[in-house]
């Protein structure tokens, strides 16, 4: 049997779309009743909810706020011109474009000739480079917004919170008052719509939201903090969050990561290292924590407190700070001897003991040794950018008055927390670097890469890899160890369900109830069909009274595209629909069955010569349909089908 669902284009007329939207709204009014908030539950009219989107790294448009004449190019930069991302100007006037993108590496100020600022509104995060060709290639949240529109969500119910993703967290507040404005956004949404907000954060956006929660503690009286969160935030969906950092950040800092842009790796490194946010995504150990440097009282007084960075004994008993292998293996000339490394701690002595005079030596560094600055001190004499990195690391992270972001995150005090990420894609987890003989920024080259692939470690060169691979791999960008840290937010007993991502009749659904979990990774004893992509749900609604925690793992969902995944958007919609229904007998939406929710989910079953899923879909030709699958549409009564998910 074949189907043409992937080539299907919706041609439904505006009247028919409006009819179905009104039917779904009517069903909500008839079945949902009034809006009420219980302990961690939402009952009533979903029209009172707001959705606030916090995008990830490089996922907000930046626009010029200067007039810049570009010599040897017909294209100049004028106020409000698109900078990130305008591929035309990037190709024709790269030097001018870089002036508008680069920041001062020490104080995070703009280039004297050009400054850029983040755009505002939903258009700032839907497509980075709008256009017939570039638009789909740079699409981020566009499909997400289209889903909201198709399900009848009002325009003022979806709010974007774009930010200048080049800045460190403290500079976001110092220069742009970002967190103050974000607080106002929540308060305005509550006043405008009468209900709390749902936070959707992708990638670095989750780390931004974490910093906001800590910043908020210093702005609100302690006794009012939890109440403010309960009033303004109903649920937090962390999608692809690098909770313990990303190893790809190391590649970007040492050799450059172009992210597909038509620039050299050296140029990409120069740009990336000028951003204060580059350190925000560094990998760090789950065993090390830091106390807040300043304790601000609600009365307005500020006193300096301890800024201790302490690690558990497990950090020194484990080899790789909890990660699957050493993240950096670097070859350094040894002509200056051991005295060239005055700042390297005793862990390196084993490396030096085998060092031969005059020959390069290879040093290995774990996540802790990267995030605490040990690595950058070790290469300070061989990399001119290390001093800048150490300065930013201390100023913007280790000494941050609100939070040291390079520390593990405990469960946020939100009523409902959903942690969602992709698994089992090939993900880079370690690198081998060597000197290139060229000046900065091209002074390091990658000689080998270590990948995690579905529970195993392999190297690009085929060499044997030492390490402790996890039960799964990451999402192509963030390692599994970092993504799955949120499993520590689950309680001692977890319900696990594994179901296909596509529509299914429930025959391939597996369930394990009350699985014991002790602050470590929990792996289900379940089977997999090799041709099926699954979602594995880990759910806990009992360990913290009035709060729910869930972790969703999506097979083969890549880091960037997960926010465009139809399966994810369907599950989000069904979970919210479940929560607002007054008669929901369970804490989470049922996984027993998944049927089509949109016309795009209906397709023609050539084997049975009818539309698939006849209880949901019917053949209904509309002028302009060019194949049978296009004429398969949801039945008019499909709004009632949502009641199956209560």
């Amino acid at each position: 049997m074949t189907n043409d669902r992937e080539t299907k284009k919706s041609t439904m007329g505006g009247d028919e779309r409006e009819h179905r939207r009104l039917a779904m709204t009517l069903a909500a009014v008839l079945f949902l009743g009034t809006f009420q908030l219980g302990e961690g539950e939402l009952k009533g009219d979903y029209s009172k909810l707001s959705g606030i989107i916090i995008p990830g790294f490089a996922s907000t448009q930046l626009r010029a706020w200067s007039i810049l004449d570009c010599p040897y190019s017909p294209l100049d930069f004028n106020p409000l011109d698109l900078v990130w991302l305008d591929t035309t100007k990037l190709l024709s006037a790269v030097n001018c474009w870089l002036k508008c993108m680069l920041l001062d590496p020490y104080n995070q100020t703009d280039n004297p000739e050009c400054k850029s600022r983040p755009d505002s509104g939903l258009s700032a995060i839907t497509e980075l480079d709008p256009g017939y060709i570039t638009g789909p290639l740079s699409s981020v949240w566009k499909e997400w917004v289209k889903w909201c529109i198709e399900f009848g969500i009002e325009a003022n119910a979806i709010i974007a919170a774009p930010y200048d993703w080049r800045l460190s967290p403290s500079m976001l507040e110092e220069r742009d008052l970002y967190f103050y404005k974000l607080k106002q956004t929540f308060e305005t949404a509550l006043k405008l719509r009468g209900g709390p907000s749902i936070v959707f954060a992708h990638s670095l956006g989750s780390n931004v939201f974490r910093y906001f929660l800590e910043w908020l503690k210093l702005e609100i009286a302690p006794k009012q903090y939890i109440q403010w969160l309960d009033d303004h935030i109903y649920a937090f969906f962390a999608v692809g969050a690098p909770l313990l950092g990303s190893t790809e950040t190391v590649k970007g800092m040492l050799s450059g990561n172009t992210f597909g842009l038509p620039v050299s790796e050296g140029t990409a490194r120069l740009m990336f290292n000028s951003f204060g946010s580059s350190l925000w995504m560094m990998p760090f150990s789950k065993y090390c924590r830091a106390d807040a440097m300043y304790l601000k009282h609600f009365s307005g007084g500020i006193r300096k407190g301890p800024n201790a960075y302490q690690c558990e004994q497990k950090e020194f008993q484990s080899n790789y700070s909890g990660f699957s292998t050493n993240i950096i293996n670097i070859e350094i000339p040894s002509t200056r001897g051991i005295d060239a490394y005055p700042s390297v701690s005793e862990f390196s002595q084993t490396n030096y003991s085998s060092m031969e005079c005059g020959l390069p030596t290879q040093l290995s560094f774990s996540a802790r040794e990267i995030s605490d600055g040990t690595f950058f001190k070790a290469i300070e004499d061989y990399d001119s950018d290390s001093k800048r990195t150490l300065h930013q690391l201390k100023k913007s992270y280790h000494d941050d008055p609100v939070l040291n972001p390079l520390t593990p995150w405990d469960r946020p005090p939100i009523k409902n927390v959903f942690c969602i990420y992709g698994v089992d894609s090939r993900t880079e987890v370690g690198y081998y670097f060597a000197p290139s003989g060229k000046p900065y920024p091209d002074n390091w080259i990658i000689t080998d890469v270590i990948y995690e692939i579905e529970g195993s470690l392999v190297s690009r060169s085929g060499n044997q890899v030492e390490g402790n691979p996890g039960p799964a791999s990451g999402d192509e960008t963030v390692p599994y160890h970092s993504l799955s840290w949120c499993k520590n937010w689950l309680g001692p007993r977890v319900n696990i369900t594994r179901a296909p991502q596509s529509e299914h009749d429930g025959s391939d659904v597996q369930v394990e109830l009350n699985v014991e979990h002790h602050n470590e990774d929990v792996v289900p004893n379940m089977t997999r069909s090799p041709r099926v992509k699954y979602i594995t749900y880990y759910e806990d609604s009992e360990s913290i009274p009035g709060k729910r925690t869930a972790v969703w793992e999506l097979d083969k969902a890549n880091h960037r595209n997960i926010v465009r995944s139809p399966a994810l958007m369907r599950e989000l919609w069904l979970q919210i629909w479940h929560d607002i229904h007054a008669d929901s007998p369970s804490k989470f939406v049922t996984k027993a069955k998944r049927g089509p929710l949109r016309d795009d989910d209906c397709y023609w079953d050539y084997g049975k010569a009818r539309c698939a899923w006849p209880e949901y879909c019917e053949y209904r030709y509309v002028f302009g349909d060019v194949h049978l699958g296009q004429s398969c549409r949801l039945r008019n009564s499909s709004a009632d089908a949502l009641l199956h998910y209560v």
Side-chain angles (χ1 to χ4, degrees):
M1 181 183 71
T2 61
N3 67 70
D4 39 20
R5 65 198 301 186
E6 294 182 357
T7 61
K8 183 174 180 180
K9 294 183 179 178
S10 176
T11 57
M12 189 193 318
D15 293 340
E16 189 172 348
R17 284 183 181 273
E18 185 64 23
H19 174 77
R20 184 160 59 84
R21 188 179 299 118
L22 289 174
M24 297 181 71
T25 305
L26 179 61
V29 173
L30 291 177
F31 290 106
L32 300 183
T34 59
F35 179 91
Q36 297 175 340
L37 276 172
E39 290 189 356
E41 301 175 357
L42 177 68
K43 306 296 182 185
D45 186 3
Y46 74 92
S47 66
K48 293 182 180 292
L49 286 173
S50 298
I52 296 181
I53 301 175
I54 306 179
F57 180 78
S59 297
T60 295
Q61 288 182 348
L62 301 178
R63 293 190 176 273
W65 197 246
S66 301
I67 300 174
L68 179 62
D69 181 24
C70 301
Y72 313 112
S73 173
L75 301 176
D76 298 327
F77 280 96
N78 294 297
L80 301 184
D81 281 357
L82 194 60
V83 177
W84 182 270
L85 179 63
D86 188 334
T87 53
T88 302
K89 289 184 178 178
L90 171 58
L91 289 169
S92 62
V94 63
N95 290 330
C96 269
W97 182 81
L98 283 172
K99 287 181 180 179
C100 296
M101 284 297 300
L102 292 173
L103 298 175
D104 184 279
Y106 283 90
N107 56 27
Q108 296 292 280
T109 56
D110 300 284
N111 187 292
E113 297 184 55
C114 184
K115 66 173 63 174
S116 298
R117 291 295 180 266
D119 202 354
S120 60
L122 284 172
S123 60
I125 66 172
T126 50
E127 287 181 339
L128 298 179
D129 189 7
Y132 183 76
I133 297 177
T134 57
L137 295 176
S138 65
S139 175
V140 185
W141 291 91
K142 186 174 182 178
E143 290 300 317
W144 191 292
V145 174
K146 285 174 65 178
W147 263 70
C148 293
I149 294 173
E150 190 163 347
F151 282 109
I153 305 300
E154 294 294 333
N156 63 358
I158 304 298
I159 305 169
Y163 59 95
D164 193 335
W165 40 267
R166 302 172 299 169
L167 299 177
S168 63
S170 58
M171 280 300 295
L172 277 175
E173 180 63 17
E174 179 180 333
R175 195 196 74 179
D176 296 344
L177 293 179
Y178 177 77
F179 300 108
Y180 173 78
K181 294 176 182 177
L182 186 58
K183 177 176 178 285
Q184 287 188 320
T185 298
F186 283 107
E187 293 172 345
T188 302
L190 175 62
K191 188 173 183 179
L192 178 66
R193 301 185 60 80
S197 297
I198 300 174
V199 178
F200 302 102
H202 176 235
S203 190
L204 181 63
S206 296
N207 295 5
V208 171
F209 183 65
R210 176 199 183 185
Y211 193 91
F212 167 73
L213 294 179
E214 295 298 320
W215 173 87
L216 195 64
K217 289 180 180 178
L218 305 181
E219 298 297 314
I220 297 179
K223 293 182 179 180
Q224 298 176 5
Y225 177 69
I226 297 299
Q227 186 61 49
W228 190 97
L229 294 179
D230 291 344
D231 291 342
H232 294 84
I233 304 175
Y234 169 66
F236 170 44
F237 288 85
V239 184
L243 299 174
L244 298 178
S246 173
T247 50
E248 269 202 0
T249 303
V250 172
K251 180 172 72 173
M253 295 180 69
L254 288 184
S255 65
N257 193 344
T258 65
F259 298 103
L261 294 177
V263 297
S264 67
E265 289 185 344
T267 300
R269 183 191 182 196
L270 189 68
M271 181 172 65
F272 186 69
N273 286 351
S274 77
F275 302 157
S277 62
S278 61
L279 302 176
W280 205 347
M281 299 172 286
M282 283 200 311
F284 54 89
S285 173
K286 66 180 181 181
Y287 300 120
C288 300
R289 296 177 179 269
D291 298 325
M293 184 175 180
Y294 293 98
L295 303 176
K296 178 179 177 181
H297 299 283
F298 183 67
S299 60
I302 299 178
R303 64 182 177 87
K304 190 170 182 178
N307 190 31
Y309 185 76
Q310 298 178 343
C311 299
E312 300 176 19
Q313 192 62 32
K314 291 181 180 179
E315 167 63 27
F316 306 101
Q317 294 172 347
S318 63
N319 294 327
Y320 314 113
S321 296
F323 281 75
S324 55
T325 187
N326 282 317
I327 295 172
I328 294 178
N329 303 275
I330 192 166
E331 192 176 277
I332 297 179
S334 61
T335 54
R336 298 183 60 181
I338 297 179
D339 292 338
Y341 311 96
S343 55
V344 182
S345 56
E346 294 181 358
F347 82 94
S348 300
Q349 296 304 319
T350 54
N351 292 316
Y352 297 134
S353 63
S354 60
M355 185 171 59
E356 297 182 18
C357 182
L359 297 178
T361 184
Q362 181 172 287
L363 302 179
S364 298
F365 297 88
S366 66
R368 173 183 62 83
E369 294 152 354
I370 296 171
S371 62
D372 69 8
T374 299
F375 163 69
F376 298 103
K377 292 176 184 177
I379 66 169
E380 192 171 4
D381 293 319
Y382 305 99
D383 191 280
S384 60
D385 193 57
S386 291
K387 291 182 179 179
R388 188 278 315 171
T389 303
L390 289 168
H391 172 81
Q392 277 293 343
L393 186 62
K394 177 175 172 49
K395 175 185 176 182
S396 300
Y397 294 89
H398 292 169
D399 291 346
D400 188 290
V402 175
L403 167 76
N404 180 357
L406 303 180
T407 52
W409 188 7
D410 295 328
R411 185 195 185 281
I414 309 295
K415 285 184 176 180
N416 304 290
V417 176
F418 294 79
C419 182
I420 306 164
Y421 52 88
V423 293
D424 284 344
S425 295
R426 190 177 77 162
T427 306
E428 297 175 1
V429 294
Y431 304 95
Y432 284 80
F433 295 96
S436 66
K438 299 178 182 179
Y440 177 85
D442 299 305
N443 52 317
W444 301 108
I445 58 172
I446 295 178
T447 58
D448 203 358
V449 180
I450 302 172
Y451 301 95
E452 60 177 9
I453 304 177
E454 299 183 11
S456 62
L457 296 176
V458 298
S459 67
R460 187 176 64 183
S461 63
N463 294 332
Q464 186 177 0
V465 178
E466 294 184 1
N468 300 319
S473 54
D475 63 1
E476 292 188 12
T477 301
V478 183
Y480 173 79
H481 173 70
S482 178
L483 293 166
S484 63
W485 169 252
C486 55
K487 285 184 179 179
N488 288 273
W489 301 349
L490 297 166
R493 294 193 177 275
V494 182
N495 295 332
I496 306 176
T497 306
R498 177 170 289 167
Q501 292 185 24
S502 60
E503 291 77 21
H504 61 85
D505 59 5
S507 59
D508 193 15
V509 175
Q510 304 169 68
V511 179
E512 290 184 7
L513 300 178
N514 295 319
V515 177
E516 292 189 2
H517 169 244
H518 303 287
N519 293 327
E520 57 187 18
D521 198 2
V522 53
V523 181
N525 183 22
M526 295 177 175
T527 60
R528 291 178 180 269
S529 174
R531 297 184 179 181
V532 178
K533 294 180 181 179
Y534 293 93
I535 303 181
T536 306
Y537 309 83
Y538 305 81
E539 298 171 335
D540 170 27
S541 61
E542 304 296 334
S543 60
I544 306 177
K547 289 181 169 57
R548 296 179 302 169
T549 308
V551 176
W552 299 352
E553 293 181 342
L554 281 71
D555 291 355
K556 304 296 183 181
N558 121 338
H559 183 78
R560 178 180 176 83
N561 295 331
I562 190 172
V563 295
R564 293 182 279 179
S565 166
L568 172 58
M569 289 186 278
R570 179 197 67 212
E571 293 303 310
L572 288 174
W573 173 256
L574 291 179
Q575 184 60 55
I576 296 172
W577 172 269
H578 167 275
D579 288 358
I580 62 180
H581 201 282
D583 299 325
S584 303
S586 61
K587 297 291 186 180
F588 296 97
V589 65
T590 177
K591 316 300 187 300
K593 187 177 182 181
R594 288 292 181 268
L597 293 181
R598 305 186 303 161
D599 290 324
D600 286 349
D601 299 330
C602 298
Y603 58 95
W604 186 259
D605 186 338
Y606 286 94
K608 297 181 179 179
R610 68 181 186 191
C611 291
W613 297 95
E615 64 269 40
Y616 294 94
C617 304
E618 64 181 0
Y619 181 84
R620 192 165 72 251
Y621 175 80
V622 173
F623 180 76
D625 290 350
V626 295
H627 56 73
L628 293 171
Q630 248 182 312
S631 299
C632 290
R633 293 183 166 86
L634 290 173
R635 295 181 179 274
N636 290 332
S637 60
S638 291
D640 297 335
L642 287 170
L643 297 179
H644 294 295
Y645 301 105
V646 173

